[in-house]
Amino acid sequence: SAPAWAPDGKKIALALSRDGLTQIYSVNADGSNLKRLTNTSGIDTEPRYSPDGQSLYFTSDRSGSPQIYRMSAEGGDAKRITFGGSYNISPRISPDGKMLAYISRRDGRFQLFVLDLASSEELRLSDAARDESPSFAPNGRYLMHATESGGKGTLAVVSVDGQVRYSLTSRGGNIREPAWGPFIK
């Protein structure tokens, strides 16, 4: 589950429960060379490559609750990245590799946060209660995510500094798991 393409398109990182608990693996785009990257007593899932392809960000409950970690794209020791809140999921790295967006549960609410990776400062970007699936704009200045408003799934866009906010609704049904497309040159 949770497949993610490497930036060069040659590999895919994924969560696989092949040998017990769900762990992170990589595989070549043609399906060859399946390689286990994590080997913990926790559940490791939701891998995402850094823009340079050198690191993987992923969610793990190895510390007792879901948190976001970073490790080499080839595997090895992982470093915990999120410390605010006791439940952090859905890591998304900005196109320049400087910010991490994620969903954090605090006071029973699932809200969008962004973390400056250099300073470790985090900023809450939402006041909603059911945010999910953040996606950075190709320019890295905005985040799109699914949320709920009036009992219906909607789409929200917010600037990474939280100053600009838009809500987009659909008459056709609930919006879930949006993804911003790449910048076409």
Side-chain angles (χ1 to χ4, degrees), residues 2-6 9-14 25-31 37 49:
W5 286 99
K10 294 180 180 179
K11 286 188 177 185
I12 301 168
L14 58 130
Y25 287 76
S26 68
V27 64
N28 291 342
D30 67 3
L37 301 178
Y49 281 95

Side-chain angles (χ1 to χ4, degrees), residues 87-123:
Y87 190 101
N88 297 301
I89 60 172
S90 304
R92 304 295 189 270
I93 190 75
S94 63
D96 64 6
K98 294 180 179 181
M99 290 184 288
L100 176 74
Y102 54 97
I103 303 299
S104 185
R105 183 181 68 197
R106 304 196 188 177
D107 299 321
R109 300 166 65 115
F110 291 88
Q111 296 175 316
L112 176 63
F113 279 75
V114 68
L115 178 73
D116 181 303
L117 293 170
S119 69
S120 296
E121 290 184 40
E122 70 176 359
L123 177 64

Side-chain angles (χ1 to χ4, degrees), residues 24 55 57 81 90 95 111-112 118 144:
I24 306 296
S55 299
Y57 290 82
I81 301 299
S90 304
Q111 296 175 316
L112 176 63
M144 174 174 53

Side-chain angles (χ1 to χ4, degrees), residues 49-101:
Y49 281 95
S50 60
D52 65 6
Q54 299 300 304
S55 299
L56 279 170
Y57 290 82
F58 63 97
T59 303
S60 177
D61 68 355
R62 64 182 67 187
S63 66
S65 66
Q67 296 294 332
I68 298 170
Y69 290 78
R70 179 181 58 224
M71 71 175 174
S72 165
E74 298 303 316
D77 292 334
K79 178 184 176 190
R80 185 171 164 178
I81 301 299
T82 55
F83 291 92
S86 62
Y87 190 101
N88 297 301
I89 60 172
S90 304
R92 304 295 189 270
I93 190 75
S94 63
D96 64 6
K98 294 180 179 181
M99 290 184 288
L100 176 74

